[in-house]
PDB file of all heavy atoms in Angstrom:
ATOM      1  N   PHE B 307      -4.458  14.314  16.528  1.00 94.00           N
ATOM      2  CA  PHE B 307      -3.782  14.331  17.828  1.00 94.00           C
ATOM      3  C   PHE B 307      -4.750  14.087  18.973  1.00 94.00           C
ATOM      4  O   PHE B 307      -4.442  13.361  19.923  1.00 94.00           O
ATOM      5  CB  PHE B 307      -3.045  15.658  18.058  1.00 94.00           C
ATOM      6  CG  PHE B 307      -2.443  15.737  19.442  1.00 94.00           C
ATOM      7  CD1 PHE B 307      -1.279  15.049  19.748  1.00 94.00           C
ATOM      8  CD2 PHE B 307      -3.061  16.456  20.451  1.00 94.00           C
ATOM      9  CE1 PHE B 307      -0.736  15.084  21.024  1.00 94.00           C
ATOM     10  CE2 PHE B 307      -2.526  16.494  21.729  1.00 94.00           C
ATOM     11  CZ  PHE B 307      -1.363  15.801  22.020  1.00 94.00           C
ATOM     12  N   SER B 308      -5.930  14.695  18.904  1.00 93.00           N
ATOM     13  CA  SER B 308      -6.898  14.533  19.995  1.00 93.00           C
ATOM     14  C   SER B 308      -7.181  13.059  20.247  1.00 93.00           C
ATOM     15  O   SER B 308      -7.161  12.586  21.394  1.00 93.00           O
ATOM     16  CB  SER B 308      -8.219  15.218  19.655  1.00 93.00           C
ATOM     17  OG  SER B 308      -8.020  16.574  19.410  1.00 93.00           O
ATOM     18  N   TYR B 309      -7.446  12.324  19.173  1.00 94.00           N
ATOM     19  CA  TYR B 309      -7.823  10.922  19.328  1.00 94.00           C
ATOM     20  C   TYR B 309      -6.634  10.074  19.772  1.00 94.00           C
ATOM     21  O   TYR B 309      -6.778   9.134  20.555  1.00 94.00           O
ATOM     22  CB  TYR B 309      -8.416  10.399  18.015  1.00 94.00           C
ATOM     23  CG  TYR B 309      -9.723  11.073  17.698  1.00 94.00           C
ATOM     24  CD1 TYR B 309      -9.766  12.210  16.904  1.00 94.00           C
ATOM     25  CD2 TYR B 309     -10.913  10.599  18.234  1.00 94.00           C
ATOM     26  CE1 TYR B 309     -10.960  12.858  16.652  1.00 94.00           C
ATOM     27  CE2 TYR B 309     -12.109  11.238  17.976  1.00 94.00           C
ATOM     28  CZ  TYR B 309     -12.126  12.362  17.193  1.00 94.00           C
ATOM     29  OH  TYR B 309     -13.314  13.002  16.938  1.00 94.00           O
ATOM     30  N   ILE B 310      -5.468  10.433  19.272  1.00 94.00           N
ATOM     31  CA  ILE B 310      -4.266   9.721  19.710  1.00 94.00           C
ATOM     32  C   ILE B 310      -4.018   9.982  21.189  1.00 94.00           C
ATOM     33  O   ILE B 310      -3.689   9.064  21.949  1.00 94.00           O
ATOM     34  CB  ILE B 310      -3.071  10.147  18.838  1.00 94.00           C
ATOM     35  CG1 ILE B 310      -3.238   9.535  17.442  1.00 94.00           C
ATOM     36  CG2 ILE B 310      -1.746   9.722  19.454  1.00 94.00           C
ATOM     37  CD1 ILE B 310      -2.369  10.133  16.389  1.00 94.00           C
ATOM     38  N   ALA B 311      -4.217  11.224  21.612  1.00 94.00           N
ATOM     39  CA  ALA B 311      -4.035  11.549  23.025  1.00 94.00           C
ATOM     40  C   ALA B 311      -5.024  10.776  23.888  1.00 94.00           C
ATOM     41  O   ALA B 311      -4.671  10.271  24.963  1.00 94.00           O
ATOM     42  CB  ALA B 311      -4.196  13.055  23.248  1.00 94.00           C
ATOM     43  N   PHE B 312      -6.276  10.666  23.432  1.00 95.00           N
ATOM     44  CA  PHE B 312      -7.267   9.902  24.199  1.00 95.00           C
ATOM     45  C   PHE B 312      -6.816   8.457  24.366  1.00 95.00           C
ATOM     46  O   PHE B 312      -6.933   7.864  25.444  1.00 95.00           O
ATOM     47  CB  PHE B 312      -8.625   9.912  23.486  1.00 95.00           C
ATOM     48  CG  PHE B 312      -9.401  11.184  23.677  1.00 95.00           C
ATOM     49  CD1 PHE B 312     -10.058  11.777  22.615  1.00 95.00           C
ATOM     50  CD2 PHE B 312      -9.491  11.790  24.924  1.00 95.00           C
ATOM     51  CE1 PHE B 312     -10.781  12.953  22.785  1.00 95.00           C
ATOM     52  CE2 PHE B 312     -10.210  12.964  25.100  1.00 95.00           C
ATOM     53  CZ  PHE B 312     -10.851  13.537  24.025  1.00 95.00           C
ATOM     54  N   ARG B 313      -6.303   7.858  23.284  1.00 95.00           N
ATOM     55  CA  ARG B 313      -5.879   6.457  23.373  1.00 95.00           C
ATOM     56  C   ARG B 313      -4.687   6.325  24.321  1.00 95.00           C
ATOM     57  O   ARG B 313      -4.626   5.388  25.117  1.00 95.00           O
ATOM     58  CB  ARG B 313      -5.517   5.921  21.983  1.00 95.00           C
ATOM     59  CG  ARG B 313      -6.700   5.818  21.048  1.00 95.00           C
ATOM     60  CD  ARG B 313      -6.358   5.202  19.704  1.00 95.00           C
ATOM     61  NE  ARG B 313      -7.459   5.456  18.785  1.00 95.00           N
ATOM     62  CZ  ARG B 313      -7.405   6.233  17.717  1.00 95.00           C
ATOM     63  NH1 ARG B 313      -6.270   6.814  17.389  1.00 95.00           N
ATOM     64  NH2 ARG B 313      -8.458   6.449  16.966  1.00 95.00           N
ATOM     65  N   LEU B 314      -3.739   7.234  24.216  1.00 96.00           N
ATOM     66  CA  LEU B 314      -2.555   7.142  25.071  1.00 96.00           C
ATOM     67  C   LEU B 314      -2.915   7.360  26.541  1.00 96.00           C
ATOM     68  O   LEU B 314      -2.420   6.649  27.426  1.00 96.00           O
ATOM     69  CB  LEU B 314      -1.503   8.171  24.625  1.00 96.00           C
ATOM     70  CG  LEU B 314      -0.888   7.921  23.238  1.00 96.00           C
ATOM     71  CD1 LEU B 314       0.090   9.041  22.888  1.00 96.00           C
ATOM     72  CD2 LEU B 314      -0.183   6.579  23.177  1.00 96.00           C
ATOM     73  N   ILE B 315      -3.784   8.320  26.816  1.00 95.00           N
ATOM     74  CA  ILE B 315      -4.189   8.566  28.209  1.00 95.00           C
ATOM     75  C   ILE B 315      -4.968   7.367  28.748  1.00 95.00           C
ATOM     76  O   ILE B 315      -4.784   6.956  29.902  1.00 95.00           O
ATOM     77  CB  ILE B 315      -5.020   9.861  28.324  1.00 95.00           C
ATOM     78  CG1 ILE B 315      -4.141  11.085  28.019  1.00 95.00           C
ATOM     79  CG2 ILE B 315      -5.640   9.997  29.708  1.00 95.00           C
ATOM     80  CD1 ILE B 315      -4.889  12.399  27.954  1.00 95.00           C
ATOM     81  N   HIS B 316      -5.812   6.798  27.920  1.00 94.00           N
ATOM     82  CA  HIS B 316      -6.568   5.606  28.332  1.00 94.00           C
ATOM     83  C   HIS B 316      -5.600   4.479  28.720  1.00 94.00           C
ATOM     84  O   HIS B 316      -5.775   3.824  29.768  1.00 94.00           O
ATOM     85  CB  HIS B 316      -7.498   5.176  27.201  1.00 94.00           C
ATOM     86  CG  HIS B 316      -7.575   3.696  26.955  1.00 94.00           C
ATOM     87  ND1 HIS B 316      -8.055   2.786  27.882  1.00 94.00           N
ATOM     88  CD2 HIS B 316      -7.218   2.958  25.885  1.00 94.00           C
ATOM     89  CE1 HIS B 316      -7.993   1.564  27.372  1.00 94.00           C
ATOM     90  NE2 HIS B 316      -7.501   1.648  26.172  1.00 94.00           N
ATOM     91  N   VAL B 317      -4.573   4.280  27.916  1.00 94.00           N
ATOM     92  CA  VAL B 317      -3.600   3.227  28.203  1.00 94.00           C
ATOM     93  C   VAL B 317      -2.856   3.525  29.503  1.00 94.00           C
ATOM     94  O   VAL B 317      -2.696   2.640  30.355  1.00 94.00           O
ATOM     95  CB  VAL B 317      -2.618   3.085  27.026  1.00 94.00           C
ATOM     96  CG1 VAL B 317      -1.391   2.307  27.437  1.00 94.00           C
ATOM     97  CG2 VAL B 317      -3.291   2.415  25.840  1.00 94.00           C
ATOM     98  N   LEU B 318      -2.403   4.756  29.669  1.00 93.00           N
ATOM     99  CA  LEU B 318      -1.665   5.126  30.883  1.00 93.00           C
ATOM    100  C   LEU B 318      -2.542   4.944  32.129  1.00 93.00           C
ATOM    101  O   LEU B 318      -2.085   4.413  33.148  1.00 93.00           O
ATOM    102  CB  LEU B 318      -1.177   6.568  30.777  1.00 93.00           C
ATOM    103  CG  LEU B 318      -0.024   6.795  29.789  1.00 93.00           C
ATOM    104  CD1 LEU B 318       0.153   8.274  29.493  1.00 93.00           C
ATOM    105  CD2 LEU B 318       1.277   6.211  30.344  1.00 93.00           C
ATOM    106  N   ARG B 319      -3.784   5.373  32.051  1.00 92.00           N
ATOM    107  CA  ARG B 319      -4.658   5.257  33.210  1.00 92.00           C
ATOM    108  C   ARG B 319      -5.012   3.803  33.500  1.00 92.00           C
ATOM    109  O   ARG B 319      -5.016   3.370  34.650  1.00 92.00           O
ATOM    110  CB  ARG B 319      -5.952   6.072  32.975  1.00 92.00           C
ATOM    111  CG  ARG B 319      -5.756   7.574  32.933  1.00 92.00           C
ATOM    112  CD  ARG B 319      -5.147   8.115  34.202  1.00 92.00           C
ATOM    113  NE  ARG B 319      -5.906   7.695  35.369  1.00 92.00           N
ATOM    114  CZ  ARG B 319      -5.362   7.377  36.541  1.00 92.00           C
ATOM    115  NH1 ARG B 319      -4.055   7.430  36.716  1.00 92.00           N
ATOM    116  NH2 ARG B 319      -6.117   7.018  37.552  1.00 92.00           N
ATOM    117  N   ASP B 320      -5.306   3.039  32.469  1.00 91.00           N
ATOM    118  CA  ASP B 320      -5.675   1.644  32.692  1.00 91.00           C
ATOM    119  C   ASP B 320      -4.483   0.834  33.182  1.00 91.00           C
ATOM    120  O   ASP B 320      -4.643  -0.105  33.968  1.00 91.00           O
ATOM    121  CB  ASP B 320      -6.239   1.023  31.402  1.00 91.00           C
ATOM    122  CG  ASP B 320      -7.709   1.348  31.212  1.00 91.00           C
ATOM    123  OD1 ASP B 320      -8.202   2.268  31.904  1.00 91.00           O
ATOM    124  OD2 ASP B 320      -8.368   0.698  30.393  1.00 91.00           O
ATOM    125  N   HIS B 321      -3.293   1.200  32.730  1.00 90.00           N
ATOM    126  CA  HIS B 321      -2.116   0.494  33.220  1.00 90.00           C
ATOM    127  C   HIS B 321      -1.888   0.807  34.693  1.00 90.00           C
ATOM    128  O   HIS B 321      -1.552  -0.076  35.486  1.00 90.00           O
ATOM    129  CB  HIS B 321      -0.888   0.878  32.401  1.00 90.00           C
ATOM    130  CG  HIS B 321       0.354   0.143  32.844  1.00 90.00           C
ATOM    131  ND1 HIS B 321       1.205   0.631  33.816  1.00 90.00           N
ATOM    132  CD2 HIS B 321       0.856  -1.058  32.466  1.00 90.00           C
ATOM    133  CE1 HIS B 321       2.192  -0.237  34.007  1.00 90.00           C
ATOM    134  NE2 HIS B 321       2.002  -1.265  33.201  1.00 90.00           N
ATOM    135  N   ALA B 322      -2.096   2.068  35.064  1.00 87.00           N
ATOM    136  CA  ALA B 322      -1.878   2.478  36.462  1.00 87.00           C
ATOM    137  C   ALA B 322      -2.812   1.740  37.416  1.00 87.00           C
ATOM    138  O   ALA B 322      -2.475   1.521  38.582  1.00 87.00           O
ATOM    139  CB  ALA B 322      -2.071   3.992  36.597  1.00 87.00           C
ATOM    140  N   THR B 323      -3.993   1.380  36.922  1.00 86.00           N
ATOM    141  CA  THR B 323      -4.948   0.668  37.771  1.00 86.00           C
ATOM    142  C   THR B 323      -4.924  -0.833  37.528  1.00 86.00           C
ATOM    143  O   THR B 323      -5.807  -1.554  37.994  1.00 86.00           O
ATOM    144  CB  THR B 323      -6.382   1.197  37.528  1.00 86.00           C
ATOM    145  OG1 THR B 323      -6.657   1.126  36.121  1.00 86.00           O
ATOM    146  CG2 THR B 323      -6.510   2.629  37.994  1.00 86.00           C
ATOM    147  N   GLY B 324      -3.927  -1.296  36.782  1.00 85.00           N
ATOM    148  CA  GLY B 324      -3.752  -2.737  36.592  1.00 85.00           C
ATOM    149  C   GLY B 324      -4.756  -3.392  35.665  1.00 85.00           C
ATOM    150  O   GLY B 324      -4.941  -4.609  35.701  1.00 85.00           O
ATOM    151  N   ARG B 325      -5.391  -2.592  34.797  1.00 86.00           N
ATOM    152  CA  ARG B 325      -6.410  -3.170  33.929  1.00 86.00           C
ATOM    153  C   ARG B 325      -5.928  -3.406  32.505  1.00 86.00           C
ATOM    154  O   ARG B 325      -6.657  -3.920  31.673  1.00 86.00           O
ATOM    155  CB  ARG B 325      -7.637  -2.251  33.885  1.00 86.00           C
ATOM    156  CG  ARG B 325      -8.407  -2.233  35.186  1.00 86.00           C
ATOM    157  CD  ARG B 325      -9.602  -1.310  35.087  1.00 86.00           C
ATOM    158  NE  ARG B 325      -9.219   0.071  34.889  1.00 86.00           N
ATOM    159  CZ  ARG B 325     -10.063   1.083  34.809  1.00 86.00           C
ATOM    160  NH1 ARG B 325     -11.364   0.848  34.887  1.00 86.00           N
ATOM    161  NH2 ARG B 325      -9.648   2.323  34.633  1.00 86.00           N
ATOM    162  N   LEU B 326      -4.705  -2.993  32.201  1.00 87.00           N
ATOM    163  CA  LEU B 326      -4.234  -3.102  30.828  1.00 87.00           C
ATOM    164  C   LEU B 326      -3.515  -4.419  30.617  1.00 87.00           C
ATOM    165  O   LEU B 326      -2.611  -4.764  31.371  1.00 87.00           O
ATOM    166  CB  LEU B 326      -3.279  -1.944  30.524  1.00 87.00           C
ATOM    167  CG  LEU B 326      -2.890  -1.795  29.049  1.00 87.00           C
ATOM    168  CD1 LEU B 326      -4.065  -1.248  28.263  1.00 87.00           C
ATOM    169  CD2 LEU B 326      -1.687  -0.880  28.898  1.00 87.00           C
ATOM    170  N   PRO B 327      -3.882  -5.188  29.577  1.00 86.00           N
ATOM    171  CA  PRO B 327      -3.146  -6.424  29.320  1.00 86.00           C
ATOM    172  C   PRO B 327      -1.780  -6.098  28.717  1.00 86.00           C
ATOM    173  O   PRO B 327      -1.543  -4.988  28.257  1.00 86.00           O
ATOM    174  CB  PRO B 327      -4.030  -7.132  28.289  1.00 86.00           C
ATOM    175  CG  PRO B 327      -4.753  -6.031  27.591  1.00 86.00           C
ATOM    176  CD  PRO B 327      -4.966  -4.959  28.619  1.00 86.00           C
ATOM    177  N   ALA B 328      -0.909  -7.103  28.728  1.00 86.00           N
ATOM    178  CA  ALA B 328       0.410  -6.908  28.141  1.00 86.00           C
ATOM    179  C   ALA B 328       0.281  -6.761  26.624  1.00 86.00           C
ATOM    180  O   ALA B 328      -0.414  -7.536  25.981  1.00 86.00           O
ATOM    181  CB  ALA B 328       1.305  -8.092  28.472  1.00 86.00           C
ATOM    182  N   LEU B 329       0.930  -5.768  26.082  1.00 90.00           N
ATOM    183  CA  LEU B 329       0.892  -5.516  24.639  1.00 90.00           C
ATOM    184  C   LEU B 329       2.308  -5.431  24.113  1.00 90.00           C
ATOM    185  O   LEU B 329       3.158  -4.778  24.717  1.00 90.00           O
ATOM    186  CB  LEU B 329       0.180  -4.195  24.334  1.00 90.00           C
ATOM    187  CG  LEU B 329      -1.258  -4.029  24.839  1.00 90.00           C
ATOM    188  CD1 LEU B 329      -1.737  -2.608  24.597  1.00 90.00           C
ATOM    189  CD2 LEU B 329      -2.162  -5.013  24.135  1.00 90.00           C
ATOM    190  N   SER B 330       2.541  -6.075  22.984  1.00 92.00           N
ATOM    191  CA  SER B 330       3.848  -5.917  22.349  1.00 92.00           C
ATOM    192  C   SER B 330       3.933  -4.524  21.730  1.00 92.00           C
ATOM    193  O   SER B 330       2.910  -3.857  21.532  1.00 92.00           O
ATOM    194  CB  SER B 330       4.046  -6.980  21.279  1.00 92.00           C
ATOM    195  OG  SER B 330       3.167  -6.726  20.193  1.00 92.00           O
ATOM    196  N   LEU B 331       5.151  -4.108  21.414  1.00 94.00           N
ATOM    197  CA  LEU B 331       5.327  -2.787  20.794  1.00 94.00           C
ATOM    198  C   LEU B 331       4.560  -2.721  19.478  1.00 94.00           C
ATOM    199  O   LEU B 331       3.915  -1.708  19.167  1.00 94.00           O
ATOM    200  CB  LEU B 331       6.816  -2.523  20.560  1.00 94.00           C
ATOM    201  CG  LEU B 331       7.165  -1.196  19.876  1.00 94.00           C
ATOM    202  CD1 LEU B 331       6.661  -0.002  20.684  1.00 94.00           C
ATOM    203  CD2 LEU B 331       8.680  -1.087  19.667  1.00 94.00           C
ATOM    204  N   ARG B 332       4.606  -3.802  18.708  1.00 94.00           N
ATOM    205  CA  ARG B 332       3.916  -3.810  17.423  1.00 94.00           C
ATOM    206  C   ARG B 332       2.406  -3.650  17.606  1.00 94.00           C
ATOM    207  O   ARG B 332       1.757  -2.869  16.912  1.00 94.00           O
ATOM    208  CB  ARG B 332       4.221  -5.123  16.697  1.00 94.00           C
ATOM    209  CG  ARG B 332       3.652  -5.198  15.293  1.00 94.00           C
ATOM    210  CD  ARG B 332       4.068  -6.480  14.601  1.00 94.00           C
ATOM    211  NE  ARG B 332       3.495  -7.650  15.253  1.00 94.00           N
ATOM    212  CZ  ARG B 332       3.864  -8.899  14.984  1.00 94.00           C
ATOM    213  NH1 ARG B 332       4.812  -9.126  14.102  1.00 94.00           N
ATOM    214  NH2 ARG B 332       3.309  -9.913  15.601  1.00 94.00           N
ATOM    215  N   GLU B 333       1.851  -4.377  18.560  1.00 94.00           N
ATOM    216  CA  GLU B 333       0.408  -4.283  18.804  1.00 94.00           C
ATOM    217  C   GLU B 333       0.028  -2.886  19.279  1.00 94.00           C
ATOM    218  O   GLU B 333      -0.977  -2.306  18.858  1.00 94.00           O
ATOM    219  CB  GLU B 333      -0.007  -5.308  19.858  1.00 94.00           C
ATOM    220  CG  GLU B 333       0.034  -6.732  19.379  1.00 94.00           C
ATOM    221  CD  GLU B 333      -0.132  -7.727  20.517  1.00 94.00           C
ATOM    222  OE1 GLU B 333       0.157  -7.363  21.694  1.00 94.00           O
ATOM    223  OE2 GLU B 333      -0.523  -8.877  20.243  1.00 94.00           O
ATOM    224  N   PHE B 334       0.864  -2.337  20.168  1.00 95.00           N
ATOM    225  CA  PHE B 334       0.554  -1.050  20.759  1.00 95.00           C
ATOM    226  C   PHE B 334       0.556   0.057  19.706  1.00 95.00           C
ATOM    227  O   PHE B 334      -0.362   0.871  19.645  1.00 95.00           O
ATOM    228  CB  PHE B 334       1.563  -0.732  21.867  1.00 95.00           C
ATOM    229  CG  PHE B 334       1.222   0.493  22.649  1.00 95.00           C
ATOM    230  CD1 PHE B 334       0.239   0.461  23.614  1.00 95.00           C
ATOM    231  CD2 PHE B 334       1.878   1.693  22.418  1.00 95.00           C
ATOM    232  CE1 PHE B 334      -0.084   1.592  24.342  1.00 95.00           C
ATOM    233  CE2 PHE B 334       1.559   2.825  23.131  1.00 95.00           C
ATOM    234  CZ  PHE B 334       0.573   2.776  24.100  1.00 95.00           C
ATOM    235  N   VAL B 335       1.592   0.091  18.884  1.00 96.00           N
ATOM    236  CA  VAL B 335       1.672   1.145  17.863  1.00 96.00           C
ATOM    237  C   VAL B 335       0.518   0.991  16.860  1.00 96.00           C
ATOM    238  O   VAL B 335      -0.094   1.975  16.445  1.00 96.00           O
ATOM    239  CB  VAL B 335       3.034   1.110  17.150  1.00 96.00           C
ATOM    240  CG1 VAL B 335       3.065   2.112  16.002  1.00 96.00           C
ATOM    241  CG2 VAL B 335       4.163   1.411  18.133  1.00 96.00           C
ATOM    242  N   THR B 336       0.234  -0.249  16.469  1.00 96.00           N
ATOM    243  CA  THR B 336      -0.878  -0.475  15.532  1.00 96.00           C
ATOM    244  C   THR B 336      -2.186   0.010  16.136  1.00 96.00           C
ATOM    245  O   THR B 336      -3.001   0.633  15.438  1.00 96.00           O
ATOM    246  CB  THR B 336      -1.001  -1.966  15.174  1.00 96.00           C
ATOM    247  OG1 THR B 336       0.259  -2.435  14.691  1.00 96.00           O
ATOM    248  CG2 THR B 336      -2.060  -2.187  14.101  1.00 96.00           C
ATOM    249  N   TYR B 337      -2.397  -0.237  17.425  1.00 96.00           N
ATOM    250  CA  TYR B 337      -3.614   0.222  18.094  1.00 96.00           C
ATOM    251  C   TYR B 337      -3.710   1.747  18.070  1.00 96.00           C
ATOM    252  O   TYR B 337      -4.744   2.302  17.741  1.00 96.00           O
ATOM    253  CB  TYR B 337      -3.642  -0.284  19.547  1.00 96.00           C
ATOM    254  CG  TYR B 337      -4.545   0.540  20.451  1.00 96.00           C
ATOM    255  CD1 TYR B 337      -5.926   0.495  20.300  1.00 96.00           C
ATOM    256  CD2 TYR B 337      -4.015   1.366  21.438  1.00 96.00           C
ATOM    257  CE1 TYR B 337      -6.754   1.269  21.099  1.00 96.00           C
ATOM    258  CE2 TYR B 337      -4.841   2.136  22.238  1.00 96.00           C
ATOM    259  CZ  TYR B 337      -6.203   2.086  22.073  1.00 96.00           C
ATOM    260  OH  TYR B 337      -7.013   2.857  22.863  1.00 96.00           O
TER     261      TYR B 337
END
Side-chain angles (χ1 to χ4, degrees):
Chain B
F307 175 77
S308 302
Y309 294 93
I310 288 165
F312 281 137
R313 293 184 194 113
L314 294 177
I315 293 174
H316 138 63
V317 164
L318 288 166
R319 292 301 307 143
D320 277 15
H321 182 270
T323 54
R325 290 180 296 182
L326 190 73
L329 303 173
S330 69
L331 178 59
R332 185 176 66 191
E333 289 169 337
F334 187 77
V335 174
T336 306
Y337 158 70

